[in-house]
Amino acid sequence: MIKELLWFPTNKCLIDGSWEAPTSKNEIALINPSDGTILIYIARGSKKDVENAVSSAQRALKTSWGKKNAHERGQFLLAMSKLVIKYQEKLAFLESLDVGKPLSQATKDVTTLARYLEFYGGAADKIHGITIPFQNDFTVIGLRERLGVTAHIIPWNYPMQIIGRSISASLAMGNACVLKPSEEACLTALAFGEIAREAGLPDGALNIVPGFGSEAGHALASNKEIAHISFTGSLQTATLIQMAAAQNIVGTTLELGGKSPQIVFDDANFEKAVPFLVNAGIQNAGQTCSASSRILVQQGSYRTVVKKMSAAYKQLQVGPAIENLDLGPVISRRQMEIILSYRNKASDLKISAEGRITKNATKQGFYITPQLFETDNYMHPLAQEEIFGPIQLIIPFRDETEAIKIANSTEYGLVASVWTENGSRQMRVAKAVHAGQVFINNYGAGGGVELPFGGVGKSGHGREKGFEALYGFSQLKTIANFCG
Ligand code: NAD
């Protein structure tokens, strides 16, 4: 089936607008999480391939791509957006097979990629500089300039969405990009390269080098010609990226993990809240940076929420991605073992409910039953560490002060939500919670391409999405003209 979905080579790197075999000729097997079989082989890019990609990006900045004006850059992104929709079905199947996510989620990811390209395509010529009132005999302006060659190192959980938010914002500002997709899910990144070619994006504006993190990833992060690193992934890798960036004094955007809370007060609308409470924990089998793994519920309604969430959990079905159930498999055997090791630490927690794995899920696939736990120990390892699997904890709190204390008790701060009908409490709690994004009576807003996104604390720094990303992928030059 996979061969029918491919209209681009998988075992090559995209360098200078052409598909090139990796210099080492080595390949990496991509595994289908739904049945553990080899899906296909991808290129194992090396340091040399990364160097070629970076040189190609530099050439593009000095020639064709670098000479395009903001409106022209936007037009390329808009053309790519239309092509994403043209290939919607193939892209969704590829993402579903590769990542193991239910087809409907993969289809949403395609639409979101198209929407990012459309948003940043439209925004490319709407980012203005500034004028600064200084001494009367000066005219001072601030120009928004591109950074140069930007590196994009991304994970396996939402390849299309992350490519959309980071590559399209960087291209909109006139940078040239080198993308290192994950060695565990790479197919839609390669398809995106072919879409850029079909849209006529000038050669070298986008280069793609698949490969292992310790090889191609490290080579890219430590390349001396890179002007900025946009990294999405784990805390452990972020530390290495940050050290590599420090050697070359380049900026980073770090989009890392989370332990995001939803805070439910006694006066919340439970009917409205419960689907969000559950979905935010189990979407993409819990392998979402902004997964809400902690549900904090006020004592008076604790049993009610446990009951309603448990009822929802009992309906959850896990099975092969292509069957489009509530959850697909997790990405790999290694990820499955990590999640199971957390389960082994949960013997002192009360399990409220769990979903079920369907009979079509083979033993060779990486399937995990979603589980809901009750605990009042908010410092428990399962309530503090990012598990990256379908496990949620319901934790009781007495009052607003305690809710904020529990919400802020982890080292992360990515997303949070507040469920209450009390208007002044909504804002008070939203302001007190440590997070880059806080929702009131909602969670996630369906992805929200327009909404700046990023973390505080160990969830990272910098913002992607929305207009804010365009500032991150550019720098301000101040020009003070003495005209006295
Ligand atoms: P990971 O850190 O293992 O890998 C991410 C990328 O980094 C991959 O492309 C990998 O090859 C590369 N890499 C690994 N070692 C490297 C090195 N030494 N130098 C350079 N690159 C290297 O993360 P993962 O397991 O792929 O993804 C899961 C993590 O990503 C979770 O922690 C999740 O929360 C986080 N995430 C965050 C966001 C966000 O927007 N905040 C979004 C998605 C995922």
Side-chain angles (χ1 to χ4, degrees), residues 17 84 87 98 105 180 193 199 280 335 339 359 384 405 451:
V84 166
Y87 292 110
D98 201 2
Q105 172 66 53
K180 208 299 279 172
Q335 187 67 21
I339 300 166
K359 60 179 186 324
Q384 288 288 312
K405 181 176 157 199
L451 311 181

Side-chain angles (χ1 to χ4, degrees), residues 155-209:
W156 44 263
N157 60 345
Y158 287 87
M160 282 191 286
Q161 291 212 23
I162 296 169
I163 285 170
R165 75 188 190 198
S166 118
I167 299 278
S168 36
S170 183
L171 288 175
M173 291 315 293
N175 302 294
C177 305
V178 180
L179 166 65
K180 208 299 279 172
S182 168
E183 58 273 42
E184 298 194 81
C186 180
L187 295 176
T188 51
L190 296 168
F192 185 73
E194 188 58 26
I195 284 172
R197 275 162 49 93
E198 187 174 337
L201 188 74
D203 295 347
L206 170 67
N207 304 273
I208 304 176
V209 184

Side-chain angles (χ1 to χ4, degrees), residues 402-433:
E402 194 182 33
I404 293 165
K405 181 176 157 199
I406 298 174
N408 291 345
S409 67
T410 76
E411 54 184 5
Y412 294 107
L414 196 55
V415 178
S417 81
V418 189
W419 293 90
T420 173
E421 297 297 311
N422 177 330
S424 50
R425 171 180 281 161
Q426 290 171 348
M427 226 33 188
R428 227 175 19 245
V429 177
K431 285 164 113 175
V433 167

Side-chain angles (χ1 to χ4, degrees), residues 55-289:
S55 302
S56 144
Q58 280 182 315
R59 270 195 307 283
L61 287 178
K62 289 187 192 124
T63 56
S64 52
W65 179 241
K67 294 202 165 68
K68 301 290 178 209
N69 62 39
H71 174 251
E72 289 168 331
R73 294 198 301 267
Q75 294 300 307
F76 285 111
L77 297 177
L78 294 174
M80 287 165 72
S81 175
K82 291 206 174 82
L83 288 171
V84 166
I85 297 300
K86 174 180 158 189
Y87 292 110
Q88 180 163 24
E89 211 174 322
K90 283 187 173 183
L91 287 168
F93 270 107
L94 285 173
E95 195 84 316
S96 181
L97 279 171
D98 201 2
V99 181
K101 60 177 68 185
L103 195 57
S104 55
Q105 172 66 53
T107 305
K108 276 189 204 147
D109 290 2
V110 184
T111 321
T112 309
L113 169 59
R115 176 77 188 108
Y116 275 118
L117 287 158
E118 185 189 49
F119 180 85
Y120 288 115
D125 58 359
K126 292 167 193 70
I127 280 282
H128 300 158
I130 53 172
T131 56
I132 301 170
F134 185 51
Q135 297 167 15
N136 286 348
D137 42 12
F138 274 86
T139 305
V140 183
I141 60 167
L143 288 185
R144 279 253 144 235
E145 295 191 330
R146 68 179 182 220
L147 297 172
V149 178
T150 54
H152 304 257
I153 300 175
I154 68 164
W156 44 263
N157 60 345
Y158 287 87
M160 282 191 286
Q161 291 212 23
I162 296 169
I163 285 170
R165 75 188 190 198
S166 118
I167 299 278
S168 36
S170 183
L171 288 175
M173 291 315 293
N175 302 294
C177 305
V178 180
L179 166 65
K180 208 299 279 172
S182 168
E183 58 273 42
E184 298 194 81
C186 180
L187 295 176
T188 51
L190 296 168
F192 185 73
E194 188 58 26
I195 284 172
R197 275 162 49 93
E198 187 174 337
L201 188 74
D203 295 347
L206 170 67
N207 304 273
I208 304 176
V209 184
F212 287 120
S214 53
E215 289 178 355
H218 175 69
L220 182 56
S222 52
N223 188 291
K224 290 191 168 21
E225 309 304 327
I226 292 294
H228 180 87
I229 305 171
S230 162
F231 171 76
T232 305
S234 66
L235 190 51
Q236 294 76 2
T237 310
T239 310
L240 300 174
I241 299 276
Q242 190 84 316
M243 289 197 298
Q247 295 294 322
N248 297 323
I249 318 290
V250 296
T252 55
T253 306
L254 300 180
E255 298 281 9
L256 314 179
K259 199 71 197 170
S260 299
Q262 298 200 60
I263 308 170
V264 186
F265 286 92
D266 280 343
D267 67 344
N269 178 335
F270 304 124
E271 295 312 315
K272 210 165 96 183
V274 167
F276 284 91
L277 301 180
V278 174
N279 189 49
I282 57 102
Q283 181 177 312
N284 209 30
Q287 305 164 113
T288 306
C289 54

